[in-house]
Amino acid sequence: MIYRAQMREGQEEAALRQLAGSPVARRWVDEGGIMTIAGFRWQQHVFAYYECIDRDIHPDELFETAAPMLEDWPGQAAVRQWIPMIDVFHFNEPASYEHWIRKQPVERRAGRVAHLKPEMMASYIYYHYQLQEERAFLGDKYEIIAMHENLLFGYQEFPKVVEEPVLPRKLATNGTPENWNDSRMDLHFQAWEDGHLYFKHIEPIFAMYCGDEHNERI
């Protein structure tokens, strides 16, 4: 599950305290309902990445005490503060609990963001779904990129784990460029104010994992 929300102006520090100190999120991890959960902040935006085990869990359940510090999001009749982000790329995906449990300690969990040019969003999804399902090359088992509007959020773990996916691929084609640079990802991204293309790492808020004795609050 990957969601984004926006903090109310002047309520940032209070919101971050409630997100990082959520006893509900910690209980879900301790009691086996969530494998990994991590929060990140970029400007007014916050991002939640988490892995549900038995059932889907909405962020409203996890971060109820932060609700007064978050903006309501327009676009639907029902009030909502957490917006689901769409999985647009992953190298691997869970086949079972045993497959997804970490086999070695995670030293760092990272979040990063980037903006696509709106007119290049369809092309970005096309190339990445093709790469993902053709298995043109392998990459980080626990990396995932999600999208809402033209904003990309990526989750990563270090050290990276690279292994062949267990689940079968969904495409039998071979259309991914042999040289990935030929996909011209440089033409897909909006440049940052400093001229940088692609992703920039953002501030971690907290991270918890079911196998850690001492989970991290930043």
Side-chain angles (χ1 to χ4, degrees):
M1 314 289 283
I2 300 179
Y3 284 83
R4 66 179 295 200
Q6 182 165 313
M7 297 178 286
R8 295 182 184 273
E9 187 173 355
Q11 297 291 307
E12 295 89 347
E13 294 307 313
L16 294 173
R17 284 196 300 271
Q18 294 301 320
L19 293 168
S22 170
V24 178
R26 182 171 293 276
R27 185 167 64 249
W28 274 104
V29 174
D30 291 342
E31 295 180 357
I34 290 177
M35 183 176 291
T36 298
I37 182 169
F40 303 90
R41 180 231 185 134
W42 172 62
Q43 298 180 353
Q44 296 293 112
H45 309 275
V46 289
F47 302 88
Y49 166 88
Y50 54 100
E51 302 161 350
C52 301
I53 296 174
D54 294 318
R55 71 169 181 88
D56 292 349
I57 306 165
H58 195 274
D60 287 344
E61 295 184 60
L62 301 172
F63 306 115
E64 181 180 4
T65 59
M69 299 92 176
L70 301 178
E71 296 279 7
D72 292 338
W73 210 284
Q76 292 186 5
V79 175
R80 55 187 184 145
Q81 295 178 320
W82 292 95
I83 304 300
M85 301 189 74
I86 300 168
D87 170 7
V88 293
F89 180 72
H90 52 262
F91 281 110
N92 213 316
E93 60 183 306
S96 65
Y97 180 91
E98 292 72 21
H99 169 246
W100 208 245
I101 200 81
R102 277 53 172 182
K103 311 303 188 295
Q104 63 188 40
V106 177
E107 297 177 4
R108 182 166 64 94
R109 295 176 171 89
R112 54 190 187 138
V113 296
H115 283 96
L116 293 174
K117 296 175 181 177
E119 68 272 18
M120 300 300 288
M121 292 167 63
S123 176
Y124 184 89
I125 294 172
Y126 166 78
Y127 276 111
H128 280 76
Y129 185 78
Q130 188 171 238
L131 165 62
Q132 171 183 299
E133 295 304 333
E134 290 182 350
R135 309 275 169 80
F137 54 84
L138 300 181
D140 182 11
K141 180 178 180 179
Y142 298 106
E143 178 182 354
I144 187 170
I145 298 173
M147 175 189 293
H148 176 246
E149 297 176 338
N150 70 321
L151 175 66
L152 296 176
F153 167 79
Y155 173 81
Q156 295 175 294
E157 293 185 357
F158 299 93
K160 293 183 178 182
V161 177
V162 179
E163 63 182 40
E164 186 77 33
V166 174
L167 297 176
R169 69 182 197 170
K170 296 183 177 67
L171 293 177
T173 55
N174 292 286
T176 303
E178 186 174 344
N179 181 351
W180 179 246
N181 289 332
D182 290 341
S183 66
R184 295 304 307 272
M185 283 298 117
D186 58 310
L187 301 180
H188 288 67
F189 287 81
Q190 288 183 358
W192 295 82
E193 292 182 357
D194 61 5
H196 178 76
L197 277 178
Y198 311 118
F199 288 87
K200 283 193 173 186
H201 284 280
I202 59 177
E203 176 187 352
I205 305 171
F206 69 92
M208 291 182 279
Y209 172 64
C210 64
D212 291 344
E213 294 183 5
H214 302 288
N215 288 306
E216 186 176 8
R217 297 185 185 183
I218 300 170

